[in-house]
Amino acid sequence: MNENPMNLNDGFTCPLPLTEYKNVLLAHGGGGKLSHQMIQKIFISQFKNDLLDPLHDGAMFTLGGARCAFSTDSYVINPIFFPGGDIGTLAVNGTVNDLAMCGARPLYLSSAFIIEEGLPMEDLWRVVLSMKQAAEAAGVQLVTGDTKVVDRGKGDKLFINTSGIGIIPDGVEISPQRAKPGDKIILSGSIAEHGIAIMSVREGLEFETQIESDCAPLNGLVETMLATSKEIHVLRDPTRGGVASALNEIAESAQVGISLREEHIPVSEEVRGACEILGFDPLYVANEGKLIAFVSAEAADNVLKAMRTHPLGKNAILIGEVVANHPGTVIMKTRIGGSRVVDMLSGEQLPRIC
Amino acid sequence: MNENPMNLNDGFTCPLPLTEYKNVLLAHGGGGKLSHQMIQKIFISQFKNDLLDPLHDGAMFTLGGARCAFSTDSYVINPIFFPGGDIGTLAVNGTVNDLAMCGARPLYLSSAFIIEEGLPMEDLWRVVLSMKQAAEAAGVQLVTGDTKVVDRGKGDKLFINTSGIGIIPDGVEISPQRAKPGDKIILSGSIAEHGIAIMSVREGLEFETQIESDCAPLNGLVETMLATSKEIHVLRDPTRGGVASALNEIAESAQVGISLREEHIPVSEEVRGACEILGFDPLYVANEGKLIAFVSAEAADNVLKAMRTHPLGKNAILIGEVVANHPGTVIMKTRIGGSRVVDMLSGEQLPRIC
């Protein structure tokens, strides 16, 4: 790493090559290999501490005796209005879901707006109304905020950051490292709807049925699951990078193998058709209202049944299991009887879908 | 408000005119009257709840028995490197200071990056190093993060959001509503350095001495002050909009009058000169390492003495007091013996200085 040290003005030695790339590419934000490389080499190498966990959806710590989860996300989706939601819905649900994936009950959200000069005031108003509704639906309060305006051409209509705080109930221990051989893997419903809804709008595609984003708050579903069993080891919402990237991250983090069955992974007909037209593999396409749960074999049936009683889990299904073989690797038994490695995406498949 | 209702697609009735402006202007982000109008009419009208306080630097609530403060800010400063700091220093210190202004001890920060495609990886690296140093200096941990990349021309190099959580010690009760007649107003040092440092770079001005941003973490100074007395009623760091806007917000919020003495407000010679060249009133120019404290008359001397023992408060000075007259209004006794109303800024004096 030190063959090409470089002096910065402030006296730091920058261990080039920091990454293989001199400049940031769109793909560095895509949730795939390049994102991971940049996050590891630039951010984690410097910010590393006990609480920072790059492979979880939020940080966890104790405040005044309560176990808390804390998470942040900036939303830069384009377009800001889309079938099934808008950037406001997404900004609330996305952070609510990150907290829920820590096993936390989300309580308080911040919201910070970066507005491009010229945004119609009415668009801002519509987004704010969506955020209000989404917060009410998720049972969280928006408690603090910030507003910045940037010159025309120096932003893109509207970016929103939400950060959130939640409380983790006693007995709940959820973390990607807890995946272990024997765990059953449950998916809460059909995949790839959010990413395809966005891409359809961008590409001007029209289908018989409009594909809507699945954007939804998952905290209620998680509460239902945790009320049934505390033997839920990992929760993850497969957003950027889709189911494939989420499972790869968990396999790597826990150093376990993951075995999937393609035929069990639900994809709607419309989404499958759109994926074919657009050339996407639905396993890599973003979801905003789905979760993956790793549950002990003993508890899996009950958790699955409980999920199916909840509107957001009614199509929940077992898609695979954790194995001791091939640690760090996700292998899928295909429909036609073969098996293939489901790798992490290298670049970005869909830029700016969240 | 209902003379011109407008139906949005989603069935909401939008009570136009929401604001006097159809589109968002740069001035809506400037911290002056237009910012306040938009924040009140668009955000507060919808998000209103017990915890949301638009006129404070953060929200306060109890978690697991501990009183917490929670704050968020997005940093969109241009340029991202400036004399005395960079966007990374600012992003850490800015949120640390917002928490400190709630009387809280800052503990945990999130950091979310919106990167424009093409940003040199080395620039990102330098900013990350600055954030690491700033976090160490302030005694806070960066515990969770997010990275997004937007297309070239859809952002401006780098925007950073930081949100933070802190604990408010027992006996500390700080809020703008607590300002009351008789309180002494203390300023921690000379003003307008941050805004002028930024504008000097943008305008390519050169002075005999380079003007540096005062960007610094104020939590240590606040701890020193609170160790001396709990009779500190209000704390505020006069960032966007400067000392004038901060004092106007407090006067309005507490419905008290504020009386200032111009001769007591410290402005360095270089800054005063630059203000004259650039046509700015230093009272409206942003600071990033100064605070204003409203302290009971009995405790003011001791607090002032304590502040002067701290490097960031060595030039602390009494600049005025709270009065029962002219509630909501700030009046300054000028150097030449007259007096004038110090109004809130109408638009923005300096766009994108934080």
Side-chain angles (χ1 to χ4, degrees):
Chain A
M1 282 290 282
N2 282 320
E3 64 276 278
N4 185 12
M6 179 169 175
N7 265 317
L8 298 177
N9 297 341
D10 47 12
F12 280 100
T13 298
C14 164
L16 280 179
L18 288 169
T19 78
E20 294 162 40
Y21 298 88
K22 196 163 169 282
N23 299 314
V24 178
L25 310 179
L26 263 183
H28 282 112
K33 278 185 189 163
L34 286 187
S35 293
H36 282 260
Q37 191 203 32
M38 183 173 80
I39 289 169
Q40 287 294 343
K41 292 201 178 178
I42 306 271
F43 297 112
I44 306 298
S45 70
Q46 294 308 309
F47 294 164
K48 195 153 187 59
N49 62 51
D50 292 349
L51 298 176
L52 180 70
D53 184 347
L55 294 175
H56 209 324
D57 285 317
M60 303 187 198
F61 45 77
T62 302
L63 271 189
R67 289 196 304 154
C68 299
F70 179 34
S71 184
T72 191
D73 255 322
S74 290
Y75 299 86
V76 299
I77 192 165
N78 169 32
I80 61 172
F81 298 101
F82 51 82
D86 61 36
I87 191 172
T89 333
L90 189 65
V92 170
N93 289 337
T95 294
V96 161
N97 291 349
D98 281 346
L99 294 170
M101 296 308 113
C102 299
R105 194 160 54 87
L107 295 173
Y108 304 117
L109 258 54
S110 64
S111 58
F113 297 79
I114 299 176
I115 306 169
E116 185 191 14
E117 183 188 12
L119 179 76
M121 202 60 86
E122 193 199 315
D123 285 357
L124 183 62
W125 173 251
R126 285 180 62 188
V127 168
V128 164
L129 290 180
S130 295
M131 294 183 77
K132 181 192 182 187
Q133 282 194 301
E136 283 171 2
V140 296
Q141 281 188 294
L142 294 156
V143 294
T144 190
D146 177 51
T147 312
K148 295 291 185 328
V149 182
V150 295
D151 337 42
R152 206 180 285 264
K154 300 293 184 186
D156 193 10
K157 296 184 189 74
L158 182 59
F159 302 144
I160 301 177
N161 177 283
T162 50
S163 302
I165 300 175
I167 296 278
I168 303 171
D170 287 343
V172 174
E173 285 294 344
I174 289 168
S175 131
Q177 286 84 11
R178 289 201 70 209
K180 60 178 178 194
D183 280 0
K184 301 295 181 187
I185 304 173
I186 301 173
L187 176 65
S188 66
S190 55
I191 63 169
E193 285 153 19
H194 177 73
I196 293 301
I198 304 306
M199 287 311 287
S200 303
V201 178
R202 279 202 223 149
E203 303 293 324
L205 296 186
E206 296 209 5
F207 303 99
E208 275 188 32
T209 320
Q210 187 179 49
I211 298 170
E212 293 205 342
S213 167
D214 59 338
C215 187
L218 293 165
N219 52 332
L221 177 59
V222 170
E223 268 192 43
T224 301
M225 295 164 68
L226 287 171
T228 304
S229 171
K230 297 287 189 290
E231 282 305 304
I232 298 167
H233 297 157
V234 187
L235 288 172
R236 181 63 60 99
D237 58 333
T239 56
R240 203 166 38 165
V243 167
S245 301
L247 291 178
N248 267 284
E249 284 178 10
I250 296 164
E252 187 189 305
S253 182
Q255 277 303 300
V256 294
I258 288 178
S259 169
L260 290 183
R261 290 191 163 271
E262 186 176 24
E263 68 202 70
H264 290 186
I265 298 172
V267 186
S268 77
E269 277 313 302
E270 293 83 6
V271 167
R272 192 178 298 282
C275 279
E276 278 167 18
I277 293 169
L278 293 161
F280 293 134
D281 180 341
L283 274 179
Y284 293 91
V285 177
N287 310 275
E288 289 291 346
K290 297 298 178 318
L291 65 81
I292 299 169
F294 287 52
V295 185
S296 73
E298 302 72 42
D301 271 356
N302 283 337
V303 170
L304 188 58
K305 272 181 206 149
M307 288 175 76
R308 287 178 175 163
T309 67
H310 192 281
L312 293 174
K314 63 179 190 291
N315 298 318
I317 184 166
L318 217 66
I319 60 166
E321 59 193 354
V322 179
V323 296
N325 296 336
H326 54 80
T329 304
V330 180
I331 291 182
M332 184 164 75
K333 296 200 171 61
T334 62
R335 258 170 230 282
I336 54 169
S339 66
R340 69 172 173 96
V341 171
V342 177
D343 203 0
M344 186 166 278
L345 205 62
S346 163
E348 100 284 7
Q349 195 179 35
L350 301 165
R352 296 184 59 195
I353 39 73
C354 62
Chain B
M1 282 290 283
N2 281 320
E3 63 276 282
N4 185 10
M6 179 169 174
N7 264 318
L8 297 178
N9 297 339
D10 48 11
F12 281 100
T13 298
C14 163
L16 281 177
L18 289 168
T19 77
E20 294 163 41
Y21 297 88
K22 196 164 168 284
N23 299 315
V24 177
L25 310 178
L26 264 183
H28 283 112
K33 278 185 190 165
L34 285 188
S35 292
H36 281 260
Q37 189 203 32
M38 184 174 79
I39 289 169
Q40 287 292 341
K41 292 202 178 178
I42 305 272
F43 297 112
I44 306 300
S45 72
Q46 293 309 309
F47 294 164
K48 194 152 188 59
N49 62 51
D50 291 351
L51 299 174
L52 180 71
D53 184 346
L55 295 175
H56 209 321
D57 285 316
M60 303 186 200
F61 46 78
T62 302
L63 272 189
R67 288 197 305 156
C68 298
F70 179 33
S71 184
T72 191
D73 256 322
S74 291
Y75 299 85
V76 298
I77 191 165
N78 168 32
I80 61 173
F81 298 101
F82 52 82
D86 61 37
I87 190 171
T89 334
L90 189 65
V92 170
N93 289 337
T95 294
V96 161
N97 291 349
D98 281 346
L99 293 171
M101 296 308 114
C102 298
R105 193 161 54 87
L107 294 174
Y108 304 116
L109 258 54
S110 63
S111 58
F113 297 79
I114 299 175
I115 307 170
E116 187 192 11
E117 183 187 10
L119 179 77
M121 202 61 84
E122 192 198 316
D123 285 358
L124 184 61
W125 173 251
R126 287 179 62 188
V127 168
V128 163
L129 290 179
S130 295
M131 292 182 78
K132 181 191 182 186
Q133 284 193 299
E136 283 170 3
V140 295
Q141 281 188 294
L142 294 157
V143 294
T144 190
D146 177 53
T147 314
K148 293 292 185 328
V149 182
V150 296
D151 338 43
R152 207 181 283 266
K154 300 293 183 185
D156 195 11
K157 295 183 189 73
L158 183 59
F159 302 145
I160 301 177
N161 176 282
T162 51
S163 301
I165 300 176
I167 296 277
I168 304 170
D170 287 342
V172 173
E173 286 292 344
I174 289 168
S175 131
Q177 286 85 12
R178 290 200 70 209
K180 60 181 181 191
D183 281 358
K184 300 294 180 188
I185 303 173
I186 302 173
L187 175 65
S188 66
S190 57
I191 63 169
E193 285 153 20
H194 176 73
I196 293 302
I198 303 305
M199 287 310 288
S200 302
V201 178
R202 279 202 222 148
E203 304 291 324
L205 296 186
E206 297 207 5
F207 304 99
E208 277 188 34
T209 319
Q210 187 180 48
I211 298 170
E212 293 206 341
S213 167
D214 59 340
C215 189
L218 293 166
N219 52 332
L221 177 59
V222 170
E223 267 191 44
T224 302
M225 294 165 69
L226 287 171
T228 305
S229 170
K230 298 285 188 291
E231 282 304 303
I232 298 167
H233 297 156
V234 187
L235 288 172
R236 180 63 59 101
D237 58 333
T239 56
R240 201 165 40 162
V243 167
S245 300
L247 292 177
N248 267 284
E249 283 177 9
I250 296 164
E252 188 189 303
S253 182
Q255 278 301 302
V256 294
I258 288 179
S259 169
L260 292 183
R261 288 190 164 272
E262 185 175 26
E263 70 202 69
H264 289 187
I265 298 172
V267 186
S268 76
E269 276 315 303
E270 293 83 5
V271 168
R272 192 178 298 282
C275 279
E276 278 167 18
I277 293 169
L278 292 161
F280 292 135
D281 180 341
L283 274 180
Y284 291 90
V285 177
N287 310 275
E288 289 291 345
K290 297 300 179 318
L291 66 80
I292 300 169
F294 287 53
V295 185
S296 73
E298 302 73 41
D301 270 357
N302 283 337
V303 170
L304 187 60
K305 273 181 206 149
M307 289 175 74
R308 287 177 176 163
T309 67
H310 192 282
L312 293 175
K314 63 181 191 291
N315 297 318
I317 185 167
L318 216 65
I319 61 166
E321 60 193 354
V322 180
V323 296
N325 296 337
H326 53 82
T329 304
V330 180
I331 291 181
M332 185 164 75
K333 296 200 172 61
T334 62
R335 261 169 227 283
I336 54 170
S339 66
R340 69 171 173 97
V341 171
V342 176
D343 203 358
M344 185 165 279
L345 204 61
S346 164
E348 98 286 6
Q349 195 178 32
L350 300 166
R352 297 186 56 194
I353 39 74
C354 62

